[in-house]
Amino acid sequence: MKNTSIHLFIGSLLNLLLINSTEAQLDHQPNLNNQVMKNSSVHYRTIKVNGLNLFYREAGAANAPAILLLHGYPTSSHMFRNLIPILSKKYHVIAPDLPGFGYSDAPDHDKFKYTFDNLANTMQSFIDKLGMKRFAVYIFDYGAPVGLRLAMANPEKITGIITQNGNAYEEGLSKEWNPIQKYWKDPSQANRDSLRDFVSKKATWFQYHEGVSDPSLIAPESYTLDQYFLDRPGNIEIQLDLVKDYRTNVVLYPKFHEYFRSYQPRLLAVWGNKDPFFLPAGAEAYKKDIPDAIVKFYNTGHFALETNVTEIGADILDFMATLPK
């Protein structure tokens, strides 16, 4: 009887210790989860810049090295939805929607000058208002001429450049640009009207799917959301104004090259090698002016993040780790 009482007492004591230990672990677990959420959560913000409401995504610790993600046509910061969680574990990520795109204001083209100079001026005010002193910049499509204008104007701020199908060389322009170049040479109403299908559902679908070996990797909400914004009243004129003004980017190419040669920024090119608009030669061309540029190709099309975000994210992390703070 005495032994039985001792065994019961010891058993009760062990159960009590086990319960207390389990409760302590449970009490501690939410703190760990909260820490993970704190580091990986994406915030969706709006800021007033030059009279415009600019939408942007923000993630990562505010005191971590910063990276500015600049989207292209016809998309928005939504294109970075899968990349941001990868980068924000170590970096402070900022991804705005350019004026006329996504959730940022899209004033009528008669009230806002849709040129790449003006987009860059707006982004300059954006980074100034956010107090971005040093950052790497990710440039894609339209984001390339915007980001490179920023880099030329703020060489002291740029820690590195990641160009994902962001062209800066004439040899990177494919034959898909021929009808647009015709409009550049003769900006008649007839030539402008001939490009109206540029913003069609068929054209948007083509941009996402051309060159992609496995179409099931393309999330339908990507091109569906883009088309929703493209179909807003008046947006076609916004996009045709930008198509017309893209010629100014080609004119600026020699200035971009001069910047590359003078400052030798650290540069990583991550390029879909089956992009119907920007050819692999455009990626390789960066090495002419930045011999130490790193160029990587992926077997995909224009929107490489839709199919290869894991590999591209890993390559960017490796690259970012080599940059000055």
Side-chain angles (χ1 to χ4, degrees):
M1 191 71 178
K2 184 176 180 181
N3 288 339
T4 302
S5 298
I6 292 172
H7 289 157
L8 288 173
F9 173 78
I10 293 173
S12 299
L13 182 61
L14 289 173
N15 285 334
L16 182 61
L17 290 172
L18 180 61
I19 290 171
N20 287 339
S21 175
T22 302
E23 288 177 347
Q25 291 177 17
L26 290 173
D27 287 341
H28 187 57
Q29 191 64 35
N31 291 333
L32 291 175
N33 288 338
N34 287 341
Q35 186 64 38
V36 171
M37 289 299 292
K38 182 179 179 182
N39 288 339
S40 62
S41 294
V42 178
H43 299 270
Y44 306 95
R45 308 189 191 279
T46 302
I47 189 172
K48 199 83 163 182
V49 174
N50 298 347
L52 298 176
N53 291 306
L54 296 185
F55 172 86
Y56 67 101
R57 299 165 196 254
E58 181 176 15
N63 61 350
I67 177 169
L68 177 69
L69 309 179
L70 295 177
H71 69 82
Y73 176 86
T75 187
S76 65
S77 60
H78 182 260
M79 69 169 282
F80 300 117
R81 67 197 181 280
N82 297 321
L83 181 64
I84 291 174
I86 295 173
L87 301 182
S88 63
K89 293 175 182 178
K90 292 186 176 181
Y91 300 100
H92 184 203
V93 184
I94 303 287
D97 288 356
L98 296 171
F101 294 86
Y103 295 100
S104 287
D105 281 351
D108 188 270
H109 77 132
D110 291 328
K111 298 179 180 178
F112 181 85
K113 194 173 183 180
Y114 285 96
T115 65
F116 285 89
D117 277 346
N118 205 19
L119 292 183
N121 290 338
T122 304
M123 285 298 101
Q124 180 70 57
S125 297
F126 174 79
I127 65 172
D128 289 345
K129 195 156 189 178
L130 289 183
M132 298 183 70
K133 304 298 184 185
R134 294 271 287 169
F135 56 90
V137 60
Y138 180 118
I139 56 176
F140 166 73
D141 191 87
Y142 278 11
V146 173
L148 292 177
R149 280 172 169 83
L150 286 180
M152 288 197 302
N154 307 270
E156 77 287 352
K157 293 182 183 290
I158 305 301
T159 59
I161 298 171
I162 301 112
T163 173
Q164 187 252 298
N165 297 73
N167 194 60
Y169 294 86
E170 287 198 49
E171 50 263 57
L173 298 175
S174 77
K175 61 181 177 58
E176 295 291 336
W177 287 90
N178 291 351
I180 296 172
Q181 290 178 332
K182 181 181 178 182
Y183 180 40
W184 296 346
K185 295 173 183 175
D186 177 16
S188 65
Q189 189 62 47
N191 283 339
R192 184 180 179 93
D193 290 342
S194 72
L195 296 174
R196 289 185 179 273
D197 281 347
F198 183 65
V199 300
S200 68
K201 181 178 179 180
K202 181 180 179 182
T204 303
W205 191 94
F206 172 83
Q207 290 203 46
Y208 273 88
H209 290 83
E210 183 67 16
V212 174
S213 58
D214 184 358
S216 70
L217 294 173
I218 306 295
E221 64 267 22
S222 57
Y223 52 87
T224 303
L225 183 65
D226 289 354
Q227 197 60 46
Y228 168 80
F229 288 121
L230 287 176
D231 289 342
R232 289 179 294 187
N235 193 269
I236 188 170
E237 301 302 332
I238 290 173
Q239 301 307 330
L240 290 176
D241 282 358
L242 286 171
V243 164
K244 179 183 177 182
D245 192 67
Y246 197 92
R247 72 188 190 282
T248 65
N249 302 326
V250 179
V251 172
L252 267 182
Y253 282 175
K255 291 289 186 183
F256 294 160
H257 306 160
E258 183 180 336
Y259 160 75
F260 296 150
R261 290 191 296 270
S262 298
Y263 290 94
Q264 291 296 303
R266 298 295 308 279
L267 186 137
L268 169 67
V270 286
W271 213 272
N273 65 357
K274 292 183 173 61
D275 187 333
F277 301 99
F278 298 120
L279 303 173
E284 294 284 4
Y286 280 101
K287 289 184 175 181
K288 294 191 302 183
D289 298 307
I290 309 174
D292 291 334
I294 302 167
V295 178
K296 297 201 171 190
F297 292 107
Y298 308 85
N299 186 32
T300 191
H302 187 58
F303 283 97
L305 290 180
E306 294 297 317
T307 56
N308 294 77
V309 68
T310 302
E311 301 96 312
I312 292 173
D315 286 334
I316 292 174
L317 288 175
D318 288 344
F319 174 71
M320 290 289 292
T322 69
L323 300 184
K325 304 303 182 187

